[in-house]
Amino acid sequence: MLWMPLLNALDVKSCLGLLLISLLAFDFWRSKNAPNFPPGPWGFPFLGNVFFGFDCRAMDEVAAKFGNIFSLRVGYDKIVLVSGYEWVKEVLVTQGDYFLDRLISPPIKDVFKGNGISLSSGYKWRKQRHFTAFHLKAFAEGKNALETHIQQECIYLCQSFEEQQGSPFSPHDILNSATANIIGCFVLGKRFDDNFTDFQNLLFNSDTFLENIPQIQIYNAFPWLVKRFYGPHKTILANYTKLTAFIKKQIEKHKKDWDPFDYRDFIDTYIGEIDKRRKDTEAAFTVDNLACITVDLFKTGTQNTTDTLQWALLLMIKYPDVQKKVQDEIDCVIGKWHQPCLADRASMPYTDAVLHETQRVGNIFSLTAPRLTSRDYALAGYFIPKGTLVICNLSSVLKDSLQWEKPDQFYPEHFLDDQRNFKKREAFYTFSAGKRSCVGEQLARNILFLFFTSLLQKFSFSAPEGLEPRLEDQEQVKTSHKSSQMCASLR
Ligand code: HEM
């Protein structure tokens, strides 16, 4: 009878074994790829490639093994990753209409409710994007309003740099505030003042879902599980609620003295639209949407523009000969005392080329947010079923050796022709491309030009003694650049 407990134990073990085999078989069946689906690395049972580092370097490594089109599995979601100019162009531009939508995944639904521009889809996205793009353009072109605001901000920016008296400092927060002030002028009709510090703190220091890719993956894959626990997603949600609460207060203030014959800013214009589009419920012109778009513009616009400017200054330190050439061009075209204006750009091909090359090398926005395919699609001979997520590696386009003469070097000549005139490049995908490309491109380009030329007109930039700017490792720079120190000496 001694063997009876052993048998019982074996029974339990066999049952568990059988259960495990059934679960694995179910997982295998659920995660099976469609025929001719792009290949990809092995993933853990049930989890898939949830721990894959979603950055351009990790993507380059996998692409080197599986080719420019490969797939990953996150939970039971399939993601196709596309690299190289040829295929990224096909996805974003040539066949872009089939890759426009975002996945309204559980975290996005919980936080943004499908509102805003970056994370909305379909008819609602089209209407909101079109409206915002139209007014951003009008702001950029109308009565020189934008140029005057940026020029005014350049004066404050230079004052803040001068206050450092040539000592080492990190320009990140100063640049961030200056950029946020320009977006503030567009959205709220004014620069930030001391009352806005809470909002600015939240804006600059709070993460978004887009920055926390591993957390999104886990939330996307197991929303029912993650929702129950405390985690970064709860902090993101709480911060987002505070940000929109602040904006909603501003909207209420605007409503009190709203004048249909005198729109002061984007909020006033949008309030007018809410009234006009009341019947078009699908387009969703609502206060909630306005708050979400406002946060979208501040968050996306400020961060990317600041990161680019920071890169530009670090590159000037690393390449003093380029800094000198930019300053010579500024002295020659603008002079030492005139304030730079947008019309100067046409006569400053070298400075324009340096800014473009900074964006190419800086590679601030290396991966597009995931797009959802709206129909079955054949890409490079692979089959991609409707409803698959697709991410494009913009970095691989900006470093594509078939497109760029010196892809891994800082080489402003990429944007100059034989006569040293500015030359546009097809593969300059730093703002992405196609219908879902950056809505603030023009605004960003204007801010970059005026801030950069104003700073280099007045200051020479150098590294603090004993410190070299670290630019080799892009991710390293991204994480540490907030605290990158530099010296700005009056010229
Ligand atoms: C140098 C600065 C900037 C860079 C490098 C940049 C880059 C990008 C890129 C690559 C995308 C496409 C993302 C994707 O396909 O997933 C994008 C989208 C977007 N950008 Fe920018 N951006 C910059 C400045 C701005 C500014 C100043 C604003 C607004 C004031 C802005 C607002 C947006 C919005 C709202 C979207 C979403 C568009 C959509 O989904 O339809 N960006 N940006």
Side-chain angles (χ1 to χ4, degrees), residues 88-136:
V88 171
K89 184 180 175 190
E90 174 153 346
V91 167
L92 296 180
V93 185
T94 328
Q95 302 298 331
D97 282 354
Y98 307 124
F99 299 89
L100 279 181
D101 285 345
R102 296 269 187 247
L103 171 74
I104 308 295
S105 60
I108 290 174
K109 201 166 166 192
D110 289 352
V111 181
F112 302 101
K113 317 244 172 336
N115 281 331
I117 301 177
S118 307
L119 297 171
S120 60
S121 282
Y123 181 75
K124 188 181 185 177
W125 163 73
R126 268 205 308 282
K127 293 291 160 189
Q128 298 296 329
R129 179 180 163 113
H130 183 262
F131 181 81
T132 309
F134 179 83
H135 289 285
L136 267 169

Side-chain angles (χ1 to χ4, degrees), residues 163-235:
E163 279 163 19
Q164 312 302 320
Q165 300 183 334
S167 307
F169 74 111
S170 162
H172 185 268
D173 290 354
I174 301 175
L175 293 170
N176 227 351
S177 290
T179 312
N181 279 336
I182 305 296
I183 298 174
C185 287
F186 168 65
V187 179
L188 305 162
K190 56 182 174 186
R191 301 175 72 234
F192 285 94
D193 54 35
D194 291 343
N195 300 330
F196 285 87
T197 8
D198 282 353
F199 178 73
Q200 279 181 300
N201 274 340
L202 267 177
L203 195 65
F204 301 156
N205 300 323
S206 64
D207 286 344
T208 64
F209 274 113
L210 291 179
E211 290 155 19
N212 274 290
I213 297 213
Q215 270 111 48
I216 318 177
Q217 311 286 20
I218 296 173
Y219 198 147
N220 274 348
F222 312 102
W224 44 272
L225 187 71
V226 177
K227 260 187 193 182
R228 284 173 174 68
F229 294 103
Y230 185 80
H233 61 285
K234 298 239 172 180
T235 321

Side-chain angles (χ1 to χ4, degrees), residues 102 117-118 125 129 183 297 300-301 304-305 308 359 365 368-369 371 394 430-432 436-440 443-444:
R102 296 269 187 247
I117 301 177
S118 307
W125 163 73
R129 179 180 163 113
I183 298 174
L297 294 178
T300 326
N304 292 329
T305 314
T308 309
Q359 291 199 269
F365 209 119
T368 62
R371 312 274 182 94
L394 297 178
T430 189
F431 292 102
S432 187
R436 204 136 200 173
S437 66
C438 178
V439 84
L443 177 61

